Amino acid sequence: MAGATLDAKGWHLSTEGIEQCVGDNARKDEKIIDVAKDTDFKEIGRKWLPEDVSKVSCEYVEGPGVLQIQKIRNVAAPKDNEESQGAPRLLKLTLTDGHLNCNGVETEKLDKVNVPPGTKVLLKGTVAVEHGILLLNNKNCHLIGGRVEKMAENWELKKMLSKQSKLRGVTEGGPPPFVPFGHKIQQVKPATQKDNFKSLATKKEEKKEEGEFEQQRQATIAEALQAKEEKTKTFGGGQKQVNF
């Protein structure tokens, strides 16, 4: 049975998930696993994590079991600059079996975990759980790989937009980006001479427009005063005025 042998290897897939991974391929574990690596566990996974995995009552998770990375964050670094080399590293991984989510933290520096969501990891042996957090190390957590295109592309797009936002903040007068000690600060390119000429030309045009507006305003005021004088008549020897 494919399901039993897959379970023994840590791949807890639903019956429908196995059928989806088989497709036109032969029902071989290697072929199924290759497809499962690149497929979202929410589509093919079977629930195998303990119901209380995120609660204080859970003391351990028994492997082998493959989980999918949903998110990785360095909780020891500022949220706006998690890739800072100056800050210490403490990675928090949000994992799922496709039905239940759980969080884990590295108790030692995990190897090769700068990966997008959708990547698969294998939990081996008995993984201790403290206060609803899995304690991960290189012995009980092994990176398998895989790439779920939709999740990976979204992650890559967010990283690109984040970098562009930081660069835009510097050019528009925002705070400078964090630069680790010993690294050079990239200077923001100053305005070119051409830009300065353009700015001066713009100011001259604005002054010209202001002068024309002032002339029109003065002419309008003069016309209004003249019209008012024409409508004013004098009675009683010039001692009383009546306005129409």
Side-chain angles (χ1 to χ4, degrees), residues 25-193:
N25 300 315
R27 299 180 70 88
K28 294 182 179 180
D29 291 351
E30 293 76 12
K31 296 290 184 181
I32 295 173
I33 290 173
D34 285 342
V35 176
K37 285 181 184 179
D38 300 331
T39 307
D40 190 347
F41 263 12
K42 291 185 177 180
E43 299 177 11
I44 62 173
R46 189 178 83 244
K47 183 168 65 176
W48 67 271
L49 285 170
E51 288 285 349
D52 62 345
V53 65
S54 297
K55 298 179 180 178
V56 179
S57 57
C58 184
E59 297 180 353
Y60 63 90
V61 170
E62 195 66 48
V66 177
L67 295 174
Q68 176 175 283
I69 296 175
Q70 297 294 96
K71 184 179 180 181
I72 299 178
R73 181 171 183 269
N74 182 10
V75 294
K79 192 171 183 179
D80 292 338
N81 191 27
E82 292 184 25
E83 297 180 0
S84 167
Q85 299 298 319
R89 192 183 104 164
L90 179 61
L91 296 185
K92 174 184 175 183
L93 286 73
T94 301
L95 307 167
T96 185
D97 61 4
H99 298 270
L100 293 176
N101 288 355
C102 63
N103 292 315
V105 295
E106 57 178 3
T107 56
E108 65 180 23
K109 191 173 182 178
L110 296 176
D111 298 330
K112 302 176 182 178
V113 287
N114 185 21
V115 292
T119 304
K120 309 301 188 290
V121 295
L122 172 65
L123 300 187
K124 299 182 292 184
T126 301
V127 181
V129 179
E130 292 285 348
H131 302 286
I133 303 293
L134 280 67
L135 306 182
L136 306 175
N137 55 53
N138 289 305
K139 292 182 179 179
N140 62 23
C141 182
H142 174 67
L143 182 70
I144 295 176
R147 179 181 174 87
V148 180
E149 282 299 329
K150 187 175 181 180
M151 299 176 72
E153 288 175 359
N154 188 42
W155 177 75
E156 289 164 353
L157 177 62
K158 286 182 178 179
K159 287 189 70 175
M160 182 184 70
L161 292 176
S162 177
K163 288 181 180 179
Q164 291 180 351
S165 177
K166 290 176 183 177
L167 291 174
R168 192 182 305 116
V170 175
T171 57
E172 294 179 357
F178 176 81
V179 179
F181 181 77
H183 289 65
K184 291 183 178 180
I185 300 176
Q186 293 183 351
Q187 298 293 334
V188 179
K189 186 179 179 182
T192 62
Q193 190 174 9

